[in-house]
Each structure stands twice: as C-alpha cells, then as structure tokens.
Amino acid sequence: MAISTIRPCISLSQHLLYSTSNSFNSQKISSISVRKKQSFVHCASLDSAPTRQEVSLSVGTYLIPHPNKVDKGGEDAFFVSSNDGEVIAVADGVSGWAEKNVDPALFSRELVSNVSSLARNAEVNYDPRILIKGAHAATSSIGSATVIVSTLEDGILKIASVGDCGLRVIRKGQMIFSTFPLEHYFDCPYQLSSEAVTQTYLDAIVSTVDLQIGDTIIMGSDGLFDNVFDQEIVSVVTTNDDVSNAAKALADLARNHSVDTKFDSPYSLEARARGLDVPWWKKFFGMKLTGGKLDDITVIVGKVKNS
C-alpha cells in the first residue's frame, strides 16, 4: 500500500503472483455477546407504532498476518468494545513506511488504541467521525493508516471510513449495504497520517444503516475485500451461524485466495480495469494478470439477534 503524500504507488509485483507460504499465524478473539435496545418500524405497515426489543450483538474476530510479518503480528489493528460492543474499529498500517525504516504497525495500533480510549467519552455521542478525529489528533507515532469505525446505538449502525477498510451488511441472505474505498489512485488509498498534509476525519465517508434482528455485519481490512468477492462473503456467512467460525472461515478463505496465483481476485480484476496487466506478448498467448493479494487479513463478524 502506498503512502499518499510521500511516494508513488508500489509495484503490483509486490502484491500479486506470490508463491504459497505455509507459515501463517492467526489471532482469534472469542465471541462477545452484548445486549442492546433496538428501535424499528415494521415496514409492512406505515401506521404501526415503533416498538423496542431487547437484542444481543454477538461479535467474532479473526486476524491472519501477512506471511512475512508473522513475527510482529502484522500491521493491522482492531478494537471491539468489550463492555457493550457499541464501537468497532479496524485500521491498516500503510506498508510503504517500511521503506523509510518506520514500522507501519505503530501508527495503526496507536490509532486504534486511541479509539478504544475515546469510546468511553460521552462527548463522542456515538459519532464515528468524531472518534476518528480524536484518535487521529492523539496519535503521535510516525506513519499512516486507513481506518473504519462503526458505532451502534438503538439499532442504528453509524459508519465512518477513510481509505479501503470496509464493511458489509447481510440481511436474509442478501447484501444490503457495502462501503466503497476512497483512493487517490489504484492501490493508494486515502489515509490518516503523521504528515502535515494528510486526510482527516473530514474526508471520511459517513453512512448509517438501520439494523434488524438477524442482520450480519462484516468489517475488515482490505486483505479481506481484495481477496474475497461479496458473493463469497454472503455464502460463508449464511452457512456459518457462529460468528467466530464465520470470521475464521472468511479469513482462511482470504488467505487461501491471496496465495493462489491463478485466482482472479477482486484485486487483480480491479488492476486490469485500471489498465494494469501483463505485457502485450503475454496477452498474445492468452495470459492475463491474476492472483490474490498477500496482505494482513482482519475479519470482524457481528450478528444482531434476539436476546
């Protein structure tokens, strides 16, 4: 991933067409069940009065570091509020900083740690963009990161995203909501940075989703969404009722795709759509740019259900 204000994008060869590696470590956080109040209006009847139901939010997480970054645990960082589950955050440290002898993990980890601290601040008022603002301002590490933060209050999910971390919402086997990446150009996403010139919370895309019982939320770094298609996400989620199992299954699928040089991944499809492909003489023989993208993979799966 390129540093947006310092240097051009890194070569595709740094991401695509890697040989497989067997040295993967993973990190699993056990599922969290939290109780929430949810307000909803029955869509079938416009004059029906809103009701409130007790619901629980179960969250499972799974992280697989880049195979070359296993020893330090990768450069992604995430947070799920353990007391009430109302705040979730994922940050992806920009790997280009390693070329400047800066550990990209430091910025993303401090940023998420600051989100964690600010999540208990009443002044945040369930506003994910304000959380991003405060966390960025409090981060002193050198580096940059993409980030996505969600907050849940009364059944309403608020999302703020800078860069290419993502979130999906699945309802009754259908994907009803999807964030989209913010980029300067291909493989150079918007990012919060320690540099004087940087994106800020004002550049975040902000969305809201009215959740219903049975909805499933999938949040993750681009290591998930660059390697797994949305229809695959739906298939995995709908066949895994347990959120921890679903998170692991998605992470494992992303890992497997990332090392498959013949898999036509979302990343390789986007690269070709942007005009990046194999040389013309390889095209003459029917070849094309394919392969997954080796990266840290963070997956968070949350399910809204009856208490």
Side-chain angles (χ1 to χ4, degrees), residues 7 45 52 60 64 76-77 81 136 138 141 167 172 191 195 235 248 258 293:
R7 66 178 183 84
S45 176
R52 299 177 70 88
I64 301 178
D76 282 0
S81 54
H136 188 197
S141 296
L167 184 145
K172 297 178 180 179
Q191 55 204 254
E195 298 291 288
S235 177
K248 182 181 185 301
S258 74
K293 176 187 174 185

Short mmCIF file of all heavy atoms in Angstrom, two decimals, residues 7 45 52 60 64 76-77 81 136 138 141 167 172 191 195 235 248 258 293:
data_model
loop_
_atom_site.label_atom_id
_atom_site.label_comp_id
_atom_site.label_asym_id
_atom_site.label_seq_id
_atom_site.Cartn_x
_atom_site.Cartn_y
_atom_site.Cartn_z
N ARG A 7 5.25 9.10 -1.70
CA ARG A 7 5.84 8.44 -2.85
C ARG A 7 4.75 7.82 -3.69
O ARG A 7 3.61 7.68 -3.26
CB ARG A 7 6.82 7.36 -2.40
CG ARG A 7 6.16 6.21 -1.67
CD ARG A 7 7.21 5.17 -1.31
NE ARG A 7 6.58 4.02 -0.67
CZ ARG A 7 6.03 3.01 -1.34
NH1 ARG A 7 6.02 3.02 -2.65
NH2 ARG A 7 5.49 1.99 -0.70
N SER A 45 -46.28 -1.99 7.54
CA SER A 45 -47.40 -1.15 7.95
C SER A 45 -46.88 0.23 8.33
O SER A 45 -46.18 0.39 9.31
CB SER A 45 -48.13 -1.77 9.15
OG SER A 45 -49.14 -0.91 9.61
N ARG A 52 -39.77 -1.37 20.73
CA ARG A 52 -38.39 -1.59 21.13
C ARG A 52 -38.26 -3.03 21.61
O ARG A 52 -39.10 -3.53 22.35
CB ARG A 52 -38.00 -0.62 22.24
CG ARG A 52 -38.08 0.83 21.83
CD ARG A 52 -37.77 1.75 23.00
NE ARG A 52 -36.37 1.69 23.38
CZ ARG A 52 -35.43 2.46 22.83
NH1 ARG A 52 -35.76 3.33 21.89
NH2 ARG A 52 -34.17 2.36 23.22
N GLY A 60 -17.49 -11.93 16.55
CA GLY A 60 -16.33 -12.81 16.46
C GLY A 60 -15.28 -12.15 15.59
O GLY A 60 -15.61 -11.45 14.63
N ILE A 64 -5.19 -12.76 10.49
CA ILE A 64 -4.08 -13.53 9.94
C ILE A 64 -3.05 -12.53 9.40
O ILE A 64 -3.35 -11.80 8.46
CB ILE A 64 -4.52 -14.49 8.82
CG1 ILE A 64 -5.57 -15.48 9.33
CG2 ILE A 64 -3.31 -15.23 8.25
CD1 ILE A 64 -6.10 -16.41 8.26
N ASP A 76 -2.09 -4.66 10.74
CA ASP A 76 -3.49 -4.31 11.03
C ASP A 76 -3.67 -4.17 12.53
O ASP A 76 -2.92 -4.75 13.33
CB ASP A 76 -4.43 -5.41 10.53
CG ASP A 76 -4.66 -5.37 9.03
OD1 ASP A 76 -4.09 -4.49 8.36
OD2 ASP A 76 -5.39 -6.24 8.53
N ALA A 77 -4.69 -3.43 12.92
CA ALA A 77 -5.10 -3.34 14.32
C ALA A 77 -6.60 -3.23 14.35
O ALA A 77 -7.22 -2.67 13.44
CB ALA A 77 -4.45 -2.14 15.00
N SER A 81 -15.39 -2.91 21.42
CA SER A 81 -15.61 -2.51 22.81
C SER A 81 -16.14 -3.69 23.61
O SER A 81 -17.16 -4.28 23.27
CB SER A 81 -16.57 -1.32 22.89
OG SER A 81 -17.78 -1.59 22.21
N HIS A 136 -7.08 10.38 15.77
CA HIS A 136 -6.00 10.87 14.89
C HIS A 136 -5.21 11.97 15.59
O HIS A 136 -3.97 11.96 15.57
CB HIS A 136 -6.61 11.39 13.59
CG HIS A 136 -5.59 11.74 12.55
ND1 HIS A 136 -5.91 12.54 11.46
CD2 HIS A 136 -4.26 11.44 12.43
CE1 HIS A 136 -4.83 12.68 10.72
NE2 HIS A 136 -3.82 12.03 11.27
N ALA A 138 -4.72 12.41 18.66
CA ALA A 138 -3.97 11.90 19.81
C ALA A 138 -2.84 10.96 19.42
O ALA A 138 -2.06 10.54 20.28
CB ALA A 138 -4.92 11.18 20.77
N SER A 141 2.65 8.57 16.82
CA SER A 141 3.56 7.72 16.06
C SER A 141 3.72 8.23 14.63
O SER A 141 2.80 8.84 14.06
CB SER A 141 3.05 6.28 16.03
OG SER A 141 3.01 5.71 17.31
N LEU A 167 -16.89 -2.46 5.16
CA LEU A 167 -17.97 -3.02 5.96
C LEU A 167 -19.10 -3.44 5.04
O LEU A 167 -19.42 -2.75 4.07
CB LEU A 167 -18.46 -2.00 6.98
CG LEU A 167 -19.52 -2.47 7.99
CD1 LEU A 167 -19.31 -1.81 9.35
CD2 LEU A 167 -20.95 -2.17 7.50
N LYS A 172 -31.00 -11.58 5.43
CA LYS A 172 -31.76 -12.66 4.79
C LYS A 172 -31.07 -13.16 3.53
O LYS A 172 -31.70 -13.36 2.48
CB LYS A 172 -33.19 -12.19 4.47
CG LYS A 172 -33.99 -11.82 5.71
CD LYS A 172 -35.38 -11.33 5.35
CE LYS A 172 -36.17 -10.97 6.61
NZ LYS A 172 -37.54 -10.45 6.29
N GLN A 191 -5.77 8.06 3.60
CA GLN A 191 -5.18 7.56 4.84
C GLN A 191 -4.95 8.70 5.82
O GLN A 191 -4.67 9.84 5.42
CB GLN A 191 -3.87 6.83 4.55
CG GLN A 191 -2.88 7.67 3.78
CD GLN A 191 -1.86 6.85 3.01
OE1 GLN A 191 -0.71 6.78 3.40
NE2 GLN A 191 -2.28 6.24 1.90
N GLU A 195 1.97 13.02 8.72
CA GLU A 195 2.47 14.10 7.88
C GLU A 195 1.60 15.34 8.02
O GLU A 195 0.42 15.27 8.37
CB GLU A 195 2.51 13.65 6.42
CG GLU A 195 3.44 12.49 6.15
CD GLU A 195 4.90 12.88 6.30
OE1 GLU A 195 5.42 13.61 5.46
OE2 GLU A 195 5.50 12.46 7.32
N SER A 235 -22.04 -16.25 1.06
CA SER A 235 -22.11 -17.70 1.16
C SER A 235 -21.52 -18.21 2.47
O SER A 235 -22.10 -19.07 3.14
CB SER A 235 -21.37 -18.34 -0.03
OG SER A 235 -21.36 -19.75 0.07
N LYS A 248 -13.42 -16.77 11.16
CA LYS A 248 -12.27 -17.62 10.81
C LYS A 248 -12.39 -18.15 9.38
O LYS A 248 -11.40 -18.17 8.63
CB LYS A 248 -12.17 -18.79 11.78
CG LYS A 248 -10.98 -19.71 11.51
CD LYS A 248 -10.94 -20.88 12.49
CE LYS A 248 -9.67 -21.72 12.28
NZ LYS A 248 -9.58 -22.26 10.91
N SER A 258 -5.27 -15.41 -1.40
CA SER A 258 -4.14 -14.49 -1.50
C SER A 258 -2.88 -15.17 -2.03
O SER A 258 -2.00 -14.50 -2.59
CB SER A 258 -3.85 -13.85 -0.14
OG SER A 258 -3.23 -14.76 0.76
N LYS A 293 -3.90 -11.10 -3.39
CA LYS A 293 -3.01 -10.07 -2.83
C LYS A 293 -2.58 -10.49 -1.43
O LYS A 293 -3.39 -10.59 -0.52
CB LYS A 293 -3.73 -8.73 -2.77
CG LYS A 293 -2.91 -7.62 -2.12
CD LYS A 293 -3.75 -6.38 -1.93
CE LYS A 293 -2.99 -5.32 -1.15
NZ LYS A 293 -3.85 -4.15 -0.85
#
